[in-house]
Amino acid sequence: MPSLATLPYEYFIGVRYISLLNYILITVAVYKYCINCGVEKLAASILIILVAVSVSAIYIYIAQKIGLWEPLRTRMGTGGQDFTTTEVSFQYAFHRALGTFQEPSHLAQWMLAPLLMASALYMRYRRGAILVVIMIALSVLVLTGSLLGIIGFALGIMSIAIFSRNTRKIMLASIATSIWVGLFLTSYMFSIDYIGTIMPRLEELGSGVQNTNRSYVWWYLIESSPKIIGYGIGNSNIVLSEYLKNIMISSHLNLFVNIIYSLGVVGFAMIGLFMAYPFLAYINCRELSKDYMFIGCVAGHVAWIVCYFGNAEELNIIHGVCIGMLWARVRIKNAGAYINTCDDRRYAIRQR
């Protein structure tokens, strides 16, 4: 173990397995709940949580700017800053929204799936209140300054256009308008040159991964070929730390890189099939293109694939919620359409 590792070896490995088990359990629990009570009911609850997270993030942002009370911070900054006793600062062109997550990129990643589900609900009901929620959440997403979050959301919206049929034009026009209005209002209210901040980062990304702060993963891939069976979950991080001569545990910042070094080629093939399942389900049943909740969950799935490529190296619980809802929607559709009562739905599934 690296000298500054915070856990002994056995606990460090155990936590990695607990994280994977959490993902599996939340996916199954959400699937069972949606089969019995409906996907829409859970989506509505998630939308309420999205509002609470967005409003709290805006308050905390303003509180940090003008000195109001804010929730206590109990963790160091990712650059080693002691934000528990000093004011939050960023090596960035503007102050970023932390929310209750205390980390801008984590806040942005969490918001992606609920925000795209809200877009799906708007596609179904066309209610102005949902559009307002989308605009507020988008403003928070902009304030995080997360380029990965913006790209993930944009690709999620694109996937809605690709996979949906009936209402894509009205839906996309409304969401696109919300994006620009949210971007304009956020930039104006908080005096942020957002476009001037993001464009250099996009240019840096366009020049190649090897020119970004993720370059060490790129060179590790080139110089250290993965094993057929991998090093094992958690062990791959220790091997990476040894390669980098890092005194702390290092992260691959990429789920797929982590999987291929942890579980080898077989594990990489398994995660590839898992990520491809929603698209295979769509090809198998094209009627799903009319199912607004399925499309919203697929959009959230696409956004999380982006996050897995650029930041998250472990399966995330909110993605598990999205996958559980998606599986339930496919199962209900295959079982015989959207039946109003839970008893009838369960009967249709048993008959199937």
Side-chain angles (χ1 to χ4, degrees):
M1 294 293 288
S3 59
L4 290 186
T6 56
L7 291 174
Y9 175 76
E10 294 79 7
Y11 289 100
F12 174 76
I13 299 298
V15 167
R16 308 277 82 74
Y17 279 95
I18 289 173
S19 178
L20 177 59
L21 181 62
N22 284 341
Y23 181 88
I24 295 171
L25 291 178
I26 195 67
T27 302
V28 173
V30 167
Y31 171 80
K32 292 290 187 181
Y33 177 87
C34 291
I35 289 296
N36 290 321
C37 301
V39 178
E40 297 90 343
K41 185 176 180 180
L42 181 59
S45 299
I46 292 174
L47 188 59
I48 294 172
I49 298 173
L50 176 64
V51 172
V53 169
S54 300
V55 171
S56 63
I58 291 174
Y59 169 77
I60 292 172
Y61 186 90
I62 294 173
Q64 290 174 344
K65 293 286 285 185
I66 65 177
L68 298 177
W69 178 89
E70 60 173 298
L72 297 176
R73 293 182 293 275
T74 58
R75 62 183 290 270
M76 305 291 284
T78 53
Q81 309 95 328
D82 185 8
F83 290 149
T84 60
T85 57
T86 60
E87 294 184 359
V88 175
S89 60
F90 297 98
Q91 296 176 343
Y92 211 72
F94 59 86
H95 189 87
R96 304 173 70 182
L98 294 169
T100 57
F101 291 75
Q102 306 293 359
E103 172 62 36
S105 59
H106 293 172
L107 171 61
Q109 289 170 22
W110 184 91
M111 293 182 68
L112 286 175
L115 186 52
L116 290 163
M117 289 178 196
S119 303
L121 287 173
Y122 177 75
M123 182 169 65
R124 172 66 176 85
Y125 296 110
R126 301 285 200 281
R127 292 180 181 173
I130 299 178
L131 190 59
V132 170
V133 170
I134 293 172
M135 292 178 64
I136 293 173
L138 273 174
S139 297
V140 175
L141 186 63
V142 168
L143 283 174
T144 65
S146 173
L147 180 59
L148 199 66
I150 295 295
I151 293 174
F153 180 75
L155 291 180
I157 292 297
M158 287 177 60
S159 68
I160 291 177
I162 293 171
F163 291 108
S164 63
R165 285 186 189 174
N166 298 339
T167 55
R168 72 175 69 168
K169 292 182 180 178
I170 298 175
M171 160 69 183
L172 292 178
S174 300
I175 297 298
T177 301
S178 299
I179 291 173
W180 286 108
V181 170
L183 183 62
F184 174 78
L185 288 177
T186 304
S187 299
Y188 177 77
M189 291 174 61
F190 298 100
S191 303
I192 295 172
D193 181 15
Y194 196 79
I195 301 299
T197 303
I198 292 298
M199 286 307 296
R201 300 187 67 199
L202 284 172
E203 293 171 0
E204 181 184 78
L205 185 63
S207 64
V209 178
Q210 65 274 17
N211 295 319
T212 69
N213 60 357
R214 304 292 194 269
S215 60
Y216 71 89
V217 179
W218 169 266
W219 293 113
Y220 180 58
L221 274 170
I222 293 175
E223 298 177 4
S224 179
S225 301
K227 290 188 173 184
I228 299 297
I229 59 173
Y231 295 106
I233 295 176
N235 289 320
S236 59
N237 295 91
I238 299 174
V239 173
L240 176 61
S241 298
E242 292 175 349
Y243 168 83
L244 296 173
K245 296 179 175 58
N246 197 345
I247 59 176
M248 298 183 291
I249 290 291
S250 300
S251 171
H252 298 92
L253 297 177
N254 186 307
L255 173 70
F256 305 101
V257 174
N258 185 31
I259 289 293
I260 199 168
Y261 279 103
S262 297
L263 302 178
V265 176
V266 175
F268 185 79
M270 290 174 62
I271 196 68
L273 289 173
F274 177 77
M275 293 296 175
Y277 169 78
F279 312 115
L280 297 176
Y282 176 85
I283 294 172
N284 186 54
C285 182
R286 294 303 296 272
E287 287 299 312
L288 287 169
S289 63
K290 300 177 182 178
D291 185 343
Y292 60 95
M293 277 311 308
F294 173 81
I295 297 300
C297 290
V298 169
H301 177 62
V302 169
W304 262 104
I305 289 176
V306 174
C307 294
Y308 287 141
F309 266 108
N311 190 288
E313 74 162 9
E314 293 182 332
L315 292 166
N316 189 278
I317 284 180
I318 191 64
H319 178 240
V321 172
C322 186
I323 289 294
M325 296 171 70
L326 190 150
W327 280 352
R329 206 62 175 178
V330 172
R331 181 63 185 245
I332 293 170
K333 184 70 175 177
N334 290 337
Y338 308 100
I339 306 167
N340 292 326
T341 67
C342 294
D343 289 339
D344 288 343
R345 186 182 292 112
R346 286 196 294 268
Y347 174 77
I349 291 173
R350 286 198 298 269
Q351 290 298 104
R352 177 74 177 183

